[in-house]
Amino acid sequence: MARGRQATDEEVACPKCGTFFNVLGLSSHTRSCGKRRRIEVATRELATHLTATAVAAAATAAATVASGSQEVAAPPEAHPMEVDELRHESIVTNVIVHNPAADDAVYEQLRNRRSTSVEDVPEVDPEDNGTLKAVFVDAPAQSRARDSDRLFLPTFEPPVLRNIPSPLCEDDFLTVHHPRAGRPPTIDHFDDYKPDRPDDPVDLSRLNKTPWEPFKSRIDFEFAEFALGASLNQGQISTLLELVGRIKEEPTAFSLQSHSDLKNAWEAASHVSPGTKLPEGGDALVYSLYADKTRLSSFGSEKGYPIMARIMNLPPELRNSGEYGGMQVVGFLPIVEDEEQEGKPGFTTHKRVVWHEAFERLLKDVARYAKTGYRVKCGDGVLRTLFPIILILVADYEEQTMMALTRGSGGLCPCPICLVPQDQQSILSIQPTHPLRDQTVAEQIVAQKGHITAAALNEQLKPLGLRPVQNVFWKVPGCDVYRALSWDRLHAYHGGLFSDHLFAQFQEIVKLLGRNATEDVNAQYDAIPRWPNLNHFTAVVAVNFTDGTKYEDMSKVIVPASYMVMKKYGSTRGMMLLKCIRRYMVLDMLAGLEVQVKETLQMYATELTRFSQAIMAYQEAFEDKNWSFPKAHTHQHLIDDIVAKGVSKNLNAKLFEHMHGLLKEIYQDRTNFKDVDHQVSQIEHQTCVTKVIRARVNALDRVQAGTGSPKPASVDKFQFNHVHLGSKKGPLTLAQVEQQFAHTPDFARFRLRLEEYLNKTHPGAPNRAWQRLKAEMEVIEARYIKVDYESVVTWRALTDHLRCSPMFQGAPRYDHIIYQIDDNTIGFAQLKFVFVCTFQGTQYPVALVKPYNIIRNRRNMDRDLGLCRVHPCPTTEFVPVECILRGALIVKDVEENSPNFLVIDTVDGDMFLRLRKKVSVWNT
């Protein structure tokens, strides 16, 4: 009942049917009653029309028989009906038309005949007033009694066939169309509906002879259809088309004709080995091993436990790749799971026993040749005796406890490398202060198993945080498992210390500040300009990721994106946490450097103590968070790892985890989801063989290409030293430029200021005569700027891709730059307009920029949070494009009424070290 209406018992008679109804429901009933009566009236009218139509059809047939003519009479005039409720055009039923006055023998004869000719149609008795009955053919005679008050109406269905009326047969269909259709009745034969009837004849004149259009040919369409069905991407389609073209050029070179041919080829290729068979019989062959479980299926129901390896003797760009000579899957470990037994000491020990016994099968030959060495002819043609050494073990903390057989975070000494007590893991120093684990001691204690009671053995192992299981790595000569275990930046920092602790605390604090604070933080993250290789986030407070790279990118901008929110809402805890995050970010920048020197290692050691002090202060102020956990401690051993094994990139699981994607693709696209380990390993081996053969083919191609005449180098007119200009627009006259930006203050006096700049920078100035710029002078605008620069970390060439465009990917994009002012000074600016012009016969690449001044008087908050502030200059200026050093990520400072901007110094290692060297006041 609608709100505000009061109930009543008053009843009123319906004006249409006379039934009494409550006054509140009368209007609804009246509408439905009127609709029902209109349908009844329309039905009776239609019945009358059907009867008349049937009479006319029968009379026409009888007259045709009497006259001996086969002509068909014209249909009766359509009955005018205006009934909205009846929308079907025709009525179909399995009937014959019969005159009740006709002789029953005639009816029975007609009924029992398989086919009926026109002579068999009963005559119409003119005394019968033309009344016909629609009678089912199979109905008994007694059911044909005259009933003038009722008509057996068939079911309304759409018209199916529209044939010209013909003689009736058993099970024929008479179709009488709705009067609106204005169409004659049709008779269809049951035989026409049989599924085995021949196809209807096709009108060839109306057949489309090129149904594959707009494709140029049928084969073009079928290729496009195949590519769509196989979900081929752009690169795969290009490769396939290239192969098709090569097959056309050399048809005899392609021998595969079926899937079995391809299968046989793979079986023959499976014997190809990436290396040489180990002979019997020094140089170290250094291995890096990785093991970690991964989800193969989308929902995690199917898992894999791959073991991967790298040969560390190879160059970094090769060993860290997924190509031939790079990372390779070498085996799969069994996954032991039992929800009912999980957590019980016996089952925990059982899983570790299975893990190490399975891993032993992989290391059997490694352990043997680690003693004897083996002679092998290396790729450079030199015969060497190699001794395999497992130098690096890469894994997450949980896998490290499996490798080291420690008791995990709940043990008295949780660290797999040293014996730090559980409650002292957050205390860091420049040098490790706790003794390192001794493999000899652990071996001696576990060797007592079976000779002393389990309780006595446990008493010796418990203080060391070890389990009573024989470690497989003890069997490999030259391998100290506790020294081989390495600090993993992905899991220890991005997917551990930051994601699970620092960022989790950050999310809790912002949520407690309220909805407005959450919206402010998300808005500030969204306002960060797009930057190459940096994920852009529109919301972070209520978001969780499984990708460590996203957490890494999120951490780079968290301080400048959120410090004002903490300040605005007066969150002391939030500001203290941001100080901890800033110290973490400095550690992360230094840990990720691809080249380490004594200076950077010293910086990292000093920063460890600063981070520890910040964490201790936070923990003292807010005791609800315990910071004594393994991933807050393990970076204490990073410097030792770098000195012994190289930079952290060698130790990072991120490189290995890229291989998980390949295994998932194999599982989802190439297996039947049964016997998964066997199928995945077989197909992965085929991938390995492909890499080997492809490397050989590429080597042959390079040799053959080198024998031909070299191609002349193309001249790029828009390459200016280390800067290339692209996405060119124009030419535009100076008058057009000034008109286009007439209402933009940054372009005020554009032509006159450009004239001054060119005259002052042109060779020979100031002795040359002043040259005026005409309004008709043309320039070429460039909206893409590629800058090659030398990294201050690796001294190798890197590239930034910058934009200066009013519309790039749906939004304006005007990137910021670092440019050289003089030999010792750098500046920051925003690109406004980049162009090339010709002056006095010389081509000049010029950038109109908005410079920023460095704010050198820093507040305590800026030093604690590492905020690098710059202030925009009031006017723009012209600078040569060649002075651009690299791009810079600069964001608007959201502090109240502040015109300043913030330079993000943690965007990458080069930016971090460059600013520390060039801007000393930012060295925090």
Side-chain angles (χ1 to χ4, degrees):
M1 181 181 298
R3 181 177 297 179
R5 298 179 65 183
Q6 298 182 354
T8 178
D9 296 333
E10 181 181 359
E11 293 186 346
V12 181
C14 174
K16 297 183 181 298
C17 64
T19 306
F20 282 87
F21 278 87
N22 189 289
V23 65
L24 297 179
L26 179 63
S27 59
S28 176
H29 165 75
T30 303
R31 288 192 299 270
S32 62
C33 185
K35 182 176 180 179
R36 184 169 57 253
R37 291 179 64 82
R38 287 195 300 273
I39 292 176
E40 292 175 355
V41 171
T43 301
R44 285 197 295 269
E45 292 179 354
L46 180 60
T48 302
H49 173 68
L50 293 176
T51 303
T53 303
V55 169
T60 301
T64 302
V65 172
S67 61
S69 173
Q70 299 296 323
E71 296 181 358
V72 180
E77 182 180 355
H79 183 68
M81 297 178 63
E82 299 294 337
V83 184
D84 294 336
E85 288 78 5
L86 300 178
R87 302 187 183 275
H88 295 277
E89 289 190 356
S90 55
I91 306 170
V92 184
T93 185
N94 183 241
V95 303
I96 63 170
V97 179
H98 180 66
N99 187 336
D103 184 72
D104 284 345
V106 176
Y107 173 79
E108 289 298 328
Q109 179 184 7
L110 180 64
R111 176 174 176 270
N112 295 326
R113 291 278 298 275
R114 178 58 184 164
S115 61
T116 306
S117 62
V118 293
E119 288 81 0
D120 296 324
V121 178
E123 297 183 1
V124 179
D125 185 355
E127 300 296 328
D128 191 38
N129 296 323
T131 302
L132 294 180
K133 171 70 74 175
V135 183
F136 286 95
V137 172
D138 295 329
Q142 58 268 26
S143 67
R144 302 194 303 274
R146 186 182 183 89
D147 186 356
S148 58
D149 297 330
R150 184 182 180 197
L151 178 70
F152 294 98
L153 290 177
T155 303
F156 293 109
E157 293 185 3
V160 180
L161 299 174
R162 303 182 178 91
N163 300 331
I164 298 176
S166 58
L168 297 175
C169 301
E170 182 179 355
D171 293 332
D172 278 356
F173 294 86
L174 169 65
T175 303
V176 180
H177 298 272
H178 191 282
R180 286 185 182 177
R183 301 172 61 188
T186 58
I187 298 176
D188 303 286
H189 303 294
F190 180 75
D191 289 343
D192 295 337
Y193 291 89
K194 290 184 178 181
D196 57 347
R197 67 184 181 85
D199 294 336
D200 294 334
V202 178
D203 186 355
L204 297 179
S205 63
R206 302 180 59 184
L207 186 65
N208 186 358
K209 302 299 191 302
T210 56
W212 47 81
E213 291 182 343
F215 292 92
K216 292 184 177 180
S217 66
R218 174 172 179 166
I219 194 66
D220 282 357
F221 165 72
E222 291 178 348
F223 178 88
E225 183 182 34
F226 165 77
L228 180 64
S231 301
L232 301 182
N233 59 34
Q234 181 176 350
Q236 293 167 336
I237 293 175
S238 299
T239 301
L240 183 58
L241 287 171
E242 181 183 355
L243 289 173
V244 171
R246 290 166 57 187
I247 293 172
K248 289 170 59 179
E249 294 177 358
E250 299 181 78
T252 58
F254 186 74
S255 62
L256 300 178
Q257 300 294 328
S258 65
H259 176 265
S260 60
D261 290 348
L262 181 60
K263 182 179 178 181
N264 294 336
W266 275 122
E267 290 178 355
S270 64
H271 303 293
V272 176
S273 173
T276 307
K277 184 178 180 180
L278 300 181
E280 295 181 359
D283 295 301
L285 178 63
V286 182
Y287 284 103
S288 170
L289 299 181
Y290 162 89
D292 193 12
K293 290 189 290 290
T294 183
R295 296 183 178 90
L296 297 178
S297 61
S298 301
F299 299 98
S301 57
E302 188 67 43
K303 300 177 182 178
Y305 204 152
I307 307 171
M308 304 182 193
R310 287 183 298 174
I311 298 178
M312 303 304 293
N313 304 70
L314 299 175
E317 60 274 11
L318 180 58
R319 68 172 183 250
N320 294 334
S321 71
E323 303 302 322
Y324 176 50
M327 295 168 287
Q328 182 60 48
V329 176
V330 294
F332 286 87
L333 290 169
I335 298 177
V336 182
E337 293 180 335
D338 191 329
E339 293 183 0
E340 296 181 358
Q341 299 296 322
E342 193 65 41
K344 296 181 180 180
F347 185 69
T348 301
T349 301
H350 169 70
K351 289 195 298 183
R352 281 148 180 77
V353 171
V354 172
W355 193 96
H356 280 261
E357 289 186 355
F359 214 102
E360 185 177 4
R361 300 186 62 181
L362 173 68
L363 299 181
K364 184 177 180 180
D365 288 339
V366 175
R368 177 159 61 99
Y369 289 110
K371 295 179 181 178
T372 64
Y374 62 94
R375 297 281 290 175
V376 61
K377 189 175 183 180
C378 300
D380 57 2
V382 178
L383 188 65
R384 292 183 175 91
T385 301
L386 301 180
F387 291 84
I389 296 176
I390 299 176
L391 179 68
I392 300 173
L393 292 175
V394 180
D396 190 7
Y397 174 76
E398 288 72 17
E399 304 303 325
Q400 287 188 353
T401 62
M402 182 73 77
M403 294 175 175
L405 287 173
T406 58
R407 302 195 179 209
S409 58
L412 296 179
C413 296
C415 179
I417 298 173
C418 75
L419 298 176
V420 58
Q422 187 184 53
D423 58 351
Q424 299 181 27
Q425 296 178 90
S426 61
I427 302 174
L428 305 173
S429 59
I430 292 180
Q431 295 287 345
T433 57
H434 301 281
L436 300 178
R437 291 187 180 275
D438 190 331
Q439 180 167 297
T440 304
V441 173
E443 286 187 74
Q444 292 173 352
I445 297 175
V446 175
Q448 300 178 66
K449 185 176 183 180
H451 301 286
I452 62 176
T453 63
L457 181 63
N458 187 59
E459 286 299 319
Q460 297 184 51
L461 294 174
K462 188 175 181 180
L464 302 177
L466 294 175
R467 296 190 181 276
V469 178
Q470 185 75 23
N471 196 309
V472 64
F473 296 103
W474 297 344
K475 301 179 181 181
V476 181
C479 177
D480 186 334
V481 62
Y482 306 125
R483 303 292 83 78
L485 288 170
S486 305
W487 183 82
D488 171 20
R489 185 179 173 217
L490 172 65
H491 292 110
Y493 271 1
H494 309 144
L497 180 57
F498 179 76
S499 64
D500 298 342
H501 301 280
L502 292 170
F503 187 67
Q505 284 283 295
F506 174 82
Q507 289 179 309
E508 291 180 11
I509 293 172
V510 175
K511 290 177 182 177
L512 289 175
L513 294 179
R515 180 177 179 180
N516 290 338
T518 298
E519 293 177 350
D520 288 347
V521 170
N522 290 336
Q524 289 307 310
Y525 260 98
D526 191 27
I528 300 293
R530 267 68 173 177
W531 191 252
N533 301 319
L534 185 71
N535 284 291
H536 184 84
F537 302 94
T538 58
V540 297
V541 177
V543 176
N544 292 316
F545 299 99
T546 58
D547 184 1
T549 301
K550 287 186 170 57
Y551 283 114
E552 179 185 4
D553 292 348
M554 196 183 301
S555 67
K556 291 180 178 181
V557 296
I558 188 172
V559 174
S562 61
Y563 88 95
M564 265 309 301
V565 176
M566 302 301 182
K567 183 178 178 181
K568 175 182 176 181
Y569 292 93
S571 176
T572 303
R573 181 168 187 168
M575 292 299 288
M576 291 188 68
L577 178 67
L578 290 183
K579 292 179 183 178
C580 297
I581 293 178
R582 172 60 186 181
R583 302 270 64 85
Y584 158 82
M585 280 308 306
V586 175
L587 285 174
D588 187 41
M589 287 291 103
L590 292 171
L593 297 179
E594 295 186 24
V595 173
Q596 294 282 2
V597 295
K598 183 177 179 180
E599 179 186 1
T600 56
L601 291 179
Q602 181 61 49
M603 292 168 59
Y604 185 86
T606 304
E607 195 61 39
L608 272 177
T609 61
R610 294 179 180 176
F611 174 78
S612 180
Q613 292 168 3
I615 288 294
M616 295 295 291
Y618 184 86
Q619 186 170 3
E620 290 176 3
F622 309 101
E623 297 180 353
D624 57 324
K625 170 62 178 175
N626 180 16
W627 291 92
S628 188
F629 51 84
K631 291 182 180 180
H633 163 79
T634 54
H635 51 175
Q636 178 72 78
H637 304 290
L638 174 59
I639 294 178
D640 289 340
D641 279 342
I642 290 176
V643 171
K645 309 165 190 174
V647 296
S648 65
K649 188 174 183 179
N650 295 332
L651 321 173
N652 200 335
K654 179 186 285 189
L655 300 171
F656 286 107
E657 293 203 350
H658 284 310
M659 295 287 289
H660 287 179
L662 171 63
L663 300 179
K664 292 176 182 178
E665 291 177 2
I666 291 175
Y667 169 78
Q668 295 174 1
D669 300 337
R670 302 286 303 279
T671 72
N672 58 2
F673 312 116
K674 299 176 182 178
D675 191 17
V676 172
D677 286 350
H678 175 71
Q679 291 190 66
V680 171
S681 60
Q682 183 182 38
I683 298 171
E684 200 283 330
H685 178 66
Q686 293 177 357
T687 304
C688 177
V689 171
T690 302
K691 295 177 184 178
V692 178
I693 299 177
R694 170 51 58 187
R696 296 172 181 173
V697 171
N698 290 343
L700 176 63
D701 290 344
R702 286 194 297 269
V703 172
Q704 292 178 343
T707 59
S709 56
K711 296 181 179 180
S714 59
V715 178
D716 188 351
K717 296 181 180 179
F718 291 88
Q719 181 73 39
F720 304 95
N721 294 326
H722 64 290
V723 180
H724 168 78
L725 302 181
S727 187
K728 298 174 285 292
K729 304 295 180 182
L732 302 171
T733 64
L734 295 181
Q736 289 176 322
V737 174
E738 290 187 314
Q739 182 180 5
Q740 180 179 349
F741 299 101
H743 302 290
T744 305
D746 291 334
F747 286 78
R749 301 176 62 250
F750 179 84
R751 179 163 60 93
L752 295 177
R753 290 194 294 147
L754 178 61
E755 177 184 298
E756 181 181 4
Y757 166 78
L758 292 175
N759 277 280
K760 289 183 177 181
T761 58
H762 189 69
N767 299 324
R768 296 178 63 90
W770 192 273
Q771 298 292 325
R772 296 289 183 181
L773 299 186
K774 297 182 179 180
E776 296 78 17
M777 177 180 174
E778 293 182 339
V779 300
I780 302 294
E781 180 187 2
R783 297 182 177 180
Y784 165 68
I785 305 94
K786 185 181 75 170
V787 182
D788 297 324
Y789 63 96
E790 183 184 275
S791 169
V792 299
V793 179
T794 63
W795 306 288
R796 293 183 178 180
L798 299 178
T799 301
D800 269 349
H801 303 273
L802 308 177
R803 300 287 174 176
C804 180
S805 174
M807 188 61 61
F808 177 72
Q809 294 185 351
R813 175 86 173 264
Y814 296 94
D815 286 335
H816 295 81
I817 60 170
I818 301 176
Y819 67 101
Q820 193 78 46
I821 297 177
D822 56 44
D823 292 341
N824 300 314
T825 309
I826 63 171
F828 300 88
Q830 185 180 24
L831 296 172
K832 293 296 183 179
F833 190 68
V834 180
F835 60 96
V836 177
C837 64
T838 301
F839 179 73
Q840 294 291 298
T842 303
Q843 198 175 37
Y844 285 88
V846 184
L848 179 68
V849 300
K850 183 82 167 181
Y852 295 110
N853 291 324
I854 298 173
I855 299 177
R856 299 183 180 276
N857 186 18
R858 303 183 81 193
R859 297 175 291 181
N860 289 335
M861 179 185 68
D862 292 354
R863 284 193 291 268
D864 291 339
L865 301 182
L867 299 178
C868 307
R869 297 182 188 271
V870 292
H871 184 80
C873 294
T875 60
T876 55
E877 65 181 41
F878 293 102
V879 298
V881 165
E882 295 99 319
C883 76
I884 298 176
L885 295 178
R886 59 157 295 170
L889 180 59
I890 300 179
V891 302
K892 182 71 174 69
D893 184 11
V894 295
E895 191 170 5
E896 187 175 2
N897 299 323
S898 173
N900 299 331
F901 288 76
L902 300 175
V903 180
I904 309 298
D905 65 334
T906 53
V907 68
D908 56 49
D910 175 87
M911 177 69 76
F912 181 77
L913 288 187
R914 189 183 295 270
L915 297 190
R916 283 185 166 240
K917 293 178 179 179
K918 295 295 184 180
V919 189
S920 58
V921 295
W922 288 350
N923 194 10
T924 59

